[in-house]
């Protein structure tokens, strides 16, 4: 999650909208997902935007991004006496995750990160019912960030968007999840990853490049 990390980029258009997800690079302007969360989400206590969702395909780096986000967040405020908000991180695949969330104290001053909505058994069996239970427990947290595989949802229209939670501030109505999709690697990012994966073997690097060319030709 650290040595091989390539900075995660994001976009507001799902890569699955394209026959080849890599084609999205030609029409979508991707930006740093870390910078967005560090500079926009985790620094604005008065914002009514409290629900966020990171979507991506299997193996695209959702959990790795969460690890990097927490690491960078701590590093950013290392010289200060304390973090703006404490972070509570839970894997939604855990059987007792709801009871753990319920037990968290001082929710108003904490950021809740929930990794792997698609890994929760109850969500797989009855997503709507699980979402109701989950939102009843997360409503008091300052900020909530959920990660999920894009394939968990039948299509873009059924993806997580509107919640049952009501805004109490100026912006009346139901709270919505701010969605961003993890962008596929660019050719430059692929080359950088291969170099990190096999830093001392040019032969391995060439073999990876050849394999990628063969796959893209299929």
């Amino acid at each position: 999650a650290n040595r091989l990390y390539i900075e995660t980029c994001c976009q507001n258009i799902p890569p699955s909208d394209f026959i080849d997800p890599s084609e999205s690079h030609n029409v979508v302007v991707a930006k740093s997902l870390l910078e967005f969360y560090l500079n926009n989400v985790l620094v604005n206590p008065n914002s009514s935007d409290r629900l966020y969702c990171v979507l991506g395909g299997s193996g695209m780096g959702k959990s790795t991004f969460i690890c990097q986000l927490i690491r960078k967040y701590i590093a950013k405020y290392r010289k200060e006496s304390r973090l703006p908000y404490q972070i509570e991180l839970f894997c939604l695949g855990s059987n007792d995750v709801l009871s753990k969330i319920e037990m968290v104290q001082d929710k108003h001053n904490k950021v809740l990160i929930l990794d792997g909505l698609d890994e929760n058994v109850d969500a797989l069996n009855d997503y709507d019912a699980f979402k109701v239970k989950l939102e009843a427990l997360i409503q008091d947290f300052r900020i909530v960030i959920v990660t999920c595989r894009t394939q968990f949802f039948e299509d873009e229209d059924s993806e997580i968007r509107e919640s049952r939670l009501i805004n109490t501030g100026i912006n009346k109505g139901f709270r919505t999840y701010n969605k961003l999709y993890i962008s596929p690697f660019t050719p430059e990012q692929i080359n950088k990853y291969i170099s990190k994966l096999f830093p001392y073997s040019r032969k391995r690097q060439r073999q990876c490049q050849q394999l990628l060319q063969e796959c893209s030709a299929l």
Side-chain angles (χ1 to χ4, degrees):
N2 192 31
R3 184 180 72 83
L4 300 178
Y5 180 67
I6 303 296
E7 186 168 4
T8 309
C9 292
C10 64
Q11 57 194 61
N12 58 359
I13 299 176
S16 57
D17 280 0
F18 302 84
I19 297 177
D20 183 347
S22 63
E23 293 177 0
S24 65
H25 298 307
N26 300 324
V27 295
V28 176
V29 178
K31 58 184 178 182
S32 168
L33 192 58
L34 274 175
E35 289 183 8
F36 172 75
Y37 273 93
L38 289 173
N39 300 331
N40 297 281
V41 176
L42 300 180
V43 296
N44 192 358
N46 297 318
S47 174
S48 60
D49 294 330
R50 296 190 176 188
L51 302 178
Y52 294 85
C53 184
V54 177
L55 293 169
S58 176
M60 289 191 69
K62 299 178 292 298
S63 298
T64 299
F65 159 70
I66 293 301
C67 293
Q68 291 294 327
L69 177 62
I70 295 174
R71 189 174 73 89
K72 294 283 188 179
Y73 178 66
I74 293 173
K76 183 177 181 179
Y77 298 99
R78 181 175 295 159
K79 295 182 181 180
E80 300 184 14
S81 58
R82 58 174 295 176
L83 298 173
Y85 307 111
Q86 294 296 312
I87 292 180
E88 296 285 346
L89 169 63
F90 295 106
C91 175
L92 283 171
S94 174
N95 293 330
D96 57 349
V97 65
L98 294 184
S99 61
K100 289 181 178 179
I101 296 172
E102 187 175 15
M103 292 172 61
V104 174
Q105 302 296 313
D106 194 24
K107 294 182 175 66
H108 289 281
N109 294 312
K110 291 187 176 178
V111 173
L112 177 65
I113 300 179
L114 301 173
D115 189 31
L117 174 61
D118 54 284
E119 298 175 6
N120 185 276
V121 175
D122 292 332
L124 288 166
N125 293 332
D126 191 337
Y127 168 66
D128 291 331
F130 176 77
K131 186 167 175 281
V132 170
K133 294 179 182 179
L134 180 64
E135 289 178 347
L137 297 174
I138 68 174
Q139 59 182 334
D140 293 330
F141 284 91
R142 172 62 62 180
I143 296 168
V144 179
I145 303 170
V146 182
T147 73
C148 185
R149 291 184 187 180
T150 315
Q151 299 97 322
F152 177 73
F153 301 99
E154 184 176 347
D155 50 41
E156 186 178 354
D157 291 335
S158 63
E159 288 175 357
I160 188 170
R161 177 57 180 167
E162 190 170 90
S163 76
R164 296 174 179 266
L165 305 181
I166 299 176
N167 275 324
T168 57
I170 298 175
N171 300 320
K172 301 297 182 182
F174 292 99
R175 298 182 197 172
T176 57
Y177 291 86
N178 295 273
K179 294 189 301 180
L180 284 174
Y181 301 87
I182 291 182
S183 301
F185 275 178
T186 63
E188 292 76 18
Q189 288 175 314
I190 292 174
N191 290 334
K192 188 175 181 179
Y193 179 79
I194 292 174
S195 296
K196 285 190 171 188
L197 186 62
F198 301 110
Y200 307 112
S201 177
R202 294 278 183 171
K203 179 180 179 181
R204 289 288 190 183
Q205 293 179 21
R206 289 195 299 269
Q207 289 175 333
C208 287
Q209 294 289 357
Q210 182 179 352
L211 180 60
L212 288 170
Q213 290 177 1
E214 293 174 354
C215 290
S216 63
L218 295 177

